[in-house]
Amino acid sequence: MKNNILAIILARSGSKRLKNKNIKKLKNKALVNWTTSVAIRSNKFCNIIVSSDSNKILKTVELYDSKILTLKRPKRFSDDKSTSEIAILHAVKWYEKNFFKIDYIALLQPTSPFRTIKTIKKGVKEISNTKLNAVIAVKKVSSKSSKHGPFYIINNSFCREVQFTNSLKKIYKINGLFYLIKKNFFIKKNDFSPSYFKPIIINSKKENIDIDTIDDWNLAKKYI
């Protein structure tokens, strides 16, 4: 299975709410390298690519570990209107042209520094069931704190997207820290968040941290 999974870390430079967040130092280590480090130590990926429009970000990654492949992303795939799916497809095409064909894609966002090896291994174990198209990490959310979807319920161990109503007792949202999807399914659907998938439920407040604002950053520092 290891030889079939390509990990992709998208680290664009244009963060507006927290400037230069991907190379901001959290306990003397750039935020993006918290993710490259756990990806390497999991030993579950054939290769790990950091895709970025920023030479500074790519250099930060290269200096941290030579095992990581760095890919300069064209400007047309890096503006505010560009989707993650476009950047992922660019990375996959580049990798398969220069190395070999893959079967699965893992997306590890750099703003989730506390993702664990256990979570990665659990996701890879789940996708070993060839009937699955996608495994995605989720967190339980309360109706009071959730204003923006998509929202999901879990039925027979699978997440299904639903319209939010106050009558829902257990609702979940994708937390962004781990996506694993069949490459052919992704190419067909052009979507890394399908409406039906196998969830990994993350209950840890620490692991669920997604750094986007200064408040998120200050919260993350409390766990160091």
Side-chain angles (χ1 to χ4, degrees):
M1 177 62 69
K2 173 187 170 184
N3 292 330
N4 293 326
I5 306 174
L6 175 67
I8 299 175
I9 301 166
L10 302 179
R12 192 163 64 93
S13 62
S15 52
K16 293 181 178 179
R17 294 205 280 181
L18 186 60
K19 190 175 181 180
N20 296 321
K21 65 182 178 183
N22 287 319
I23 53 175
K24 194 174 174 66
K25 292 289 184 70
L26 186 64
K27 196 182 178 181
N28 300 318
K29 184 162 68 177
L31 186 60
V32 64
N33 286 331
W34 281 76
T35 294
T36 59
S37 176
V38 75
I40 292 169
R41 288 185 287 114
S42 74
N43 198 34
K44 288 298 179 182
F45 307 117
C46 59
N47 272 122
I48 302 157
I49 296 176
V50 174
S51 167
S52 180
D53 60 320
S54 165
N55 288 326
K56 191 172 183 179
I57 291 175
L58 296 179
K59 182 58 68 176
T60 299
V61 171
E62 289 168 353
L63 291 173
Y64 181 73
D65 201 305
S66 60
K67 295 177 184 177
I68 304 295
L69 299 174
T70 54
L71 177 62
K72 184 68 180 294
R73 201 186 317 165
K75 291 292 184 183
R76 66 183 184 278
F77 299 150
S78 305
D79 60 30
D80 290 339
K81 296 181 180 179
S82 299
T83 64
S84 295
E85 283 79 7
I86 289 174
I88 292 164
L89 185 59
H90 172 252
V92 169
K93 286 182 176 179
W94 174 83
Y95 185 83
E96 292 194 327
K97 180 180 179 180
N98 290 281
F99 296 91
F100 51 83
K101 300 291 183 180
I102 59 165
D103 295 318
Y104 298 92
I105 308 164
L107 177 62
L108 309 175
Q109 69 176 25
T111 51
S112 301
F114 301 123
R115 141 194 329 97
T116 64
I117 292 174
K118 181 180 178 181
T119 293
I120 293 174
K121 288 184 175 180
K122 185 175 182 180
V124 171
K125 185 177 180 180
E126 291 284 6
I127 206 73
S128 62
N129 179 346
T130 56
K131 293 181 180 180
L132 292 179
N133 289 314
V135 176
I136 302 174
V138 300
K139 62 180 179 180
K140 187 178 178 182
V141 294
S142 67
S143 58
K144 293 180 180 179
S145 65
S146 298
K147 297 180 180 179
H148 304 290
F151 300 100
Y152 301 87
I153 59 170
I154 296 178
N155 188 15
N156 294 325
S157 300
F158 281 85
C159 266
R160 178 170 59 84
E161 187 174 347
V162 294
Q163 290 294 115
F164 175 80
T165 67
N166 288 320
S167 63
L168 292 174
K169 293 183 178 180
K170 289 186 178 181
I171 54 174
Y172 298 84
K173 288 180 68 174
I174 292 173
N175 59 17
L177 69 86
F178 183 83
Y179 301 77
L180 185 55
I181 195 166
K182 279 186 177 178
K183 183 198 71 176
N184 289 342
F185 180 77
F186 167 70
I187 298 297
K188 180 180 179 180
K189 298 291 185 179
N190 191 34
D191 188 358
F192 234 83
S193 303
S195 58
Y196 185 77
F197 58 85
K198 181 78 172 182
I200 303 174
I201 302 171
I202 306 297
N203 294 314
S204 164
K205 290 182 179 179
K206 178 180 178 181
E207 193 172 4
N208 272 315
I209 290 175
D210 178 12
I211 298 175
D212 189 44
T213 66
I214 190 62
D215 289 337
D216 299 330
W217 182 262
N218 290 333
L219 177 60
K221 288 198 296 183
K222 291 181 180 179
Y223 283 97
I224 298 298

